[in-house]
Amino acid sequence: MIDVILKIALTLFSLTIAISFYRVAKGPSMPDRIVGLDTIGVNLLSMVAIISILFGTKAYLEVILILGILSFIGTIAFSKFLERGVIIERKSNR
Amino acid sequence: MKMNNVILKTTTQVVFFIIFLFSIHIFLAGHFAPGGGFVGGLLTASALVLLLLTYDLKTVKNLLPINYMTLTAVGLLLALGTASLSAFFGEAFFMHYFDHFNIPLLGDTELHTAMIFDLGVYFVVVGVTMIIIQSIGGDE
């Protein structure tokens, strides 16, 4: 019973990733693609959680946190590049 | 143009410590669970990259005055020292030792010399990643 529900959830999440990938590939502007990639990251994280329930293992729980951290840092780096043109500044003018 | 990114700075001040603690947890869990020196080092480097993204190169250098070349050298020295320790006792190269100790707060704990080798890997990974990112990102 729960296996069927989890597999349905996996299918829906992969559908979400496919729709987000359409936005990444087609998106007219650069921020559209960045938001699409962030959405793909969050949905991938949920898929890892469901797969770890399906396999009955706790070994994948670190993957979820690491994916969240990396997606966060990647999105910040992309948006800073769009906003200022540089990712790491040499010296800020505060 | 002057940008006031107070949300990013406040978020970084909280999230940096969470990522750093998680990297130490991953590093210590490496013997019995997924993790280890490599992933822990990469996570620590990503926490430092988050600091570099939020502030600038000079502020981070003032905040954490670490020479990453020295850190890489210390890591390599730790790995080599642990590997050659057993050679001095007349045993095979890379022989590891472990024993159970009674530590006051933790109770019965298994300490292993492979941990020191892992610490060397951790230092090398952090050092090399930060050298690459700082020398690429610091260009005008």
Side-chain angles (χ1 to χ4, degrees):
Chain A
M1 182 60 195
I2 191 127
D3 271 18
V4 178
I5 295 172
L6 289 176
K7 275 167 189 165
I8 290 171
L10 270 184
T11 318
L12 290 179
F13 272 123
S14 45
L15 199 67
T16 315
I17 287 181
I19 295 171
S20 308
F21 183 75
Y22 174 75
R23 182 49 66 202
V24 171
K26 192 79 193 293
S29 66
M30 215 55 188
D32 285 334
R33 294 196 169 95
I34 294 171
V35 173
L37 279 177
D38 202 39
T39 314
I40 286 179
V42 171
N43 283 306
L44 211 60
L45 195 145
S46 319
M47 280 181 87
V48 172
I50 290 177
I51 285 173
S52 88
I53 298 174
L54 212 55
F55 287 174
T57 174
K58 282 194 286 185
Y60 296 153
L61 295 188
E62 275 92 357
V63 177
I64 299 170
L65 273 167
I66 291 177
L67 253 177
I69 290 167
L70 290 185
S71 159
F72 172 67
I73 291 176
T75 307
I76 285 180
F78 263 127
S79 28
K80 191 167 180 190
F81 177 69
L82 278 190
E83 192 177 311
R84 303 205 179 170
V86 290
I87 295 181
I88 298 172
E89 289 163 64
R90 183 170 279 273
K91 189 175 182 307
S92 73
N93 42 359
R94 278 185 299 163
Chain B
M1 196 168 84
K2 200 174 173 191
M3 209 72 78
N4 189 12
N5 44 5
V6 69
I7 297 177
L8 179 60
K9 281 182 181 170
T10 313
T11 312
T12 301
Q13 283 164 13
V14 179
V15 168
F16 170 75
F17 292 104
I18 297 174
I19 301 178
F20 195 69
L21 278 180
F22 181 56
S23 82
I24 291 176
H25 163 75
I26 283 248
F27 168 68
L28 290 177
H31 200 70
F32 295 114
F38 187 76
V39 189
L42 277 184
L43 266 178
T44 308
S46 71
L48 294 173
V49 165
L50 183 64
L51 272 190
L52 278 179
L53 284 174
T54 311
Y55 301 99
D56 53 319
L57 218 56
K58 207 160 187 177
T59 314
V60 175
K61 196 161 271 180
N62 284 336
L63 220 62
L64 299 165
I66 302 168
N67 186 358
Y68 291 104
M69 302 249 183
T70 319
L71 195 70
T72 311
V74 167
L76 283 174
L77 211 66
L78 273 179
L80 189 67
T82 320
S84 59
L85 188 69
S86 54
F88 288 119
F89 296 145
E91 282 177 277
F93 191 59
F94 258 116
M95 185 91 150
H96 280 298
Y97 304 97
F98 69 97
D99 205 357
H100 290 265
F101 292 98
N102 221 339
I103 297 175
L105 226 55
L106 298 172
D108 185 28
T109 313
E110 185 186 341
L111 293 180
H112 206 297
T113 50
M115 168 100 195
I116 307 173
F117 184 79
D118 224 20
L119 191 68
V121 174
Y122 177 89
F123 280 168
V124 169
V125 169
V126 172
V128 168
T129 314
M130 290 312 288
I131 285 170
I132 290 173
I133 287 174
Q134 280 188 345
S135 54
I136 289 178
D139 276 343
E140 285 287 316

